[in-house]
Amino acid sequence: MARVHVVLNQKGGVGKSTLAVNLAAVTADTVGGVAGENPPVVTVSIDPQGSAVWWSERVGEALPFDFVQAHDDIAGLANLRHIPNVTDVWVDTPGWLDLSDGASSDDPLGDGKAADALRAVLDNADDVIIPIEPEPLSFQPTFNTVEKVVKPRKLPYLVVANNWDPRDGRADLDDTLQFVRNQGWPLANTVIRHYKIHSRASAEGLVVTQYPKNRVAMEAREDFYRLALEHGQMRNGQG
């Protein structure tokens, strides 16, 4: 059976697609996936307007994993574990969650196709990656995501500081890391740094394992391999 990993945060613009696509690429690289040869890794997007769709089309046949747009395939999403010959599924989710006060405390996702798709994914998930950008505006949406959606389902999860630009200094990053620690949430040691190569990659049709061999690209790539290693330790109960 495939293991299903969901990248999730109520807040849009925190880099969910970048994490889902590049972690899928690293996973495919480590388990021996080859482009065009029924790779054992699949990325599934349930965001009908997500950048992962456009990104995968730009990479084309060189994509080292399979990509599926499935926001309207509830039955398929309920069977992600059973995709033949697949070891890992990475799910990219919408840039918003409707966690309004009027929603049920037992199921705060609300109604509608988007909520049904996310519910189907979470009901079949093995774990959740929750990116948080180093800025105060990310705090409350991340709190809602963890406390209202992930923890009630008793899913293993890992919060990841994402898209930190070292040129901005450490003040916002340190505040964000302290916020996560204060909640008692599991926090990744790896911080995904901001590199221009990441923002250009989708337009250039590249995933992180295909970056050119130079110093900056190697540093950018290293973050994702380190995070994938941490994630592997978490899911194997070693984190």
Side-chain angles (χ1 to χ4, degrees):
M1 294 175 66
R3 297 185 65 88
V4 178
H5 321 292
V6 181
V7 183
L8 181 69
N9 195 313
Q10 180 187 14
K11 189 176 187 300
V14 294
K16 290 188 288 290
S17 295
T18 299
L19 280 178
V21 167
N22 283 332
L23 286 171
V26 169
T27 304
D29 185 48
T30 57
V31 300
V34 178
E37 295 185 7
N38 297 317
V41 177
V42 175
T43 295
V44 175
S45 173
I46 61 171
D47 184 357
Q49 299 177 338
S51 59
V53 181
W54 183 76
W55 194 343
S56 67
E57 291 173 348
R58 296 285 294 179
V59 181
E61 294 181 357
L63 197 68
F65 51 83
D66 280 340
F67 179 87
V68 179
Q69 178 65 37
H71 64 281
D72 56 355
D73 183 7
I74 305 302
L77 294 173
N79 286 280
L80 291 178
R81 293 176 180 270
H82 304 287
I83 303 175
N85 304 314
V86 168
T87 62
D88 293 88
V89 178
W90 287 90
V91 183
D92 182 30
T93 59
W96 52 267
L97 294 176
D98 183 12
L99 303 181
S100 62
D101 293 337
S104 166
S105 59
D106 294 328
D107 188 0
L109 297 181
D111 298 320
K113 283 189 175 181
D116 289 343
L118 185 54
R119 192 175 294 110
V121 165
L122 291 172
D123 286 348
N124 290 276
D126 288 282
D127 50 68
V128 180
I129 296 289
I130 302 172
I132 181 171
E133 286 200 320
E135 60 177 17
L137 287 175
S138 291
F139 292 2
Q140 189 62 48
T142 304
F143 183 89
N144 293 343
T145 302
V146 174
E147 299 295 333
K148 294 185 178 182
V149 178
V150 178
K151 287 178 71 173
R153 287 173 166 79
K154 296 181 170 55
L155 289 169
Y157 65 96
L158 188 66
V159 180
V160 180
N162 191 43
N163 202 30
W164 170 59
D165 193 334
R167 295 173 298 182
D168 295 337
R170 288 194 58 94
D172 285 340
L173 175 64
D174 289 341
D175 287 347
T176 300
L177 298 179
Q178 190 59 51
F179 167 76
V180 175
R181 294 188 186 104
N182 289 344
Q183 312 311 312
W185 301 335
L187 173 65
N189 292 317
T190 302
V191 173
I192 302 296
R193 293 166 289 182
H194 173 85
Y195 286 98
K196 189 172 289 185
I197 193 171
H198 290 322
S199 57
R200 291 201 311 259
S202 57
E204 295 177 357
L206 297 173
V207 293
V208 71
T209 53
Q210 300 165 335
Y211 286 178
K213 291 179 173 58
N214 59 51
R215 181 184 61 80
V216 172
M218 288 179 64
E219 290 180 358
R221 192 163 54 240
E222 178 187 13
D223 289 348
F224 282 93
Y225 277 92
R226 290 180 59 195
L227 179 57
L229 178 60
E230 278 199 74
H231 173 258
Q233 292 172 336
M234 177 191 76
R235 81 183 200 187
N236 291 325
Q238 300 171 10

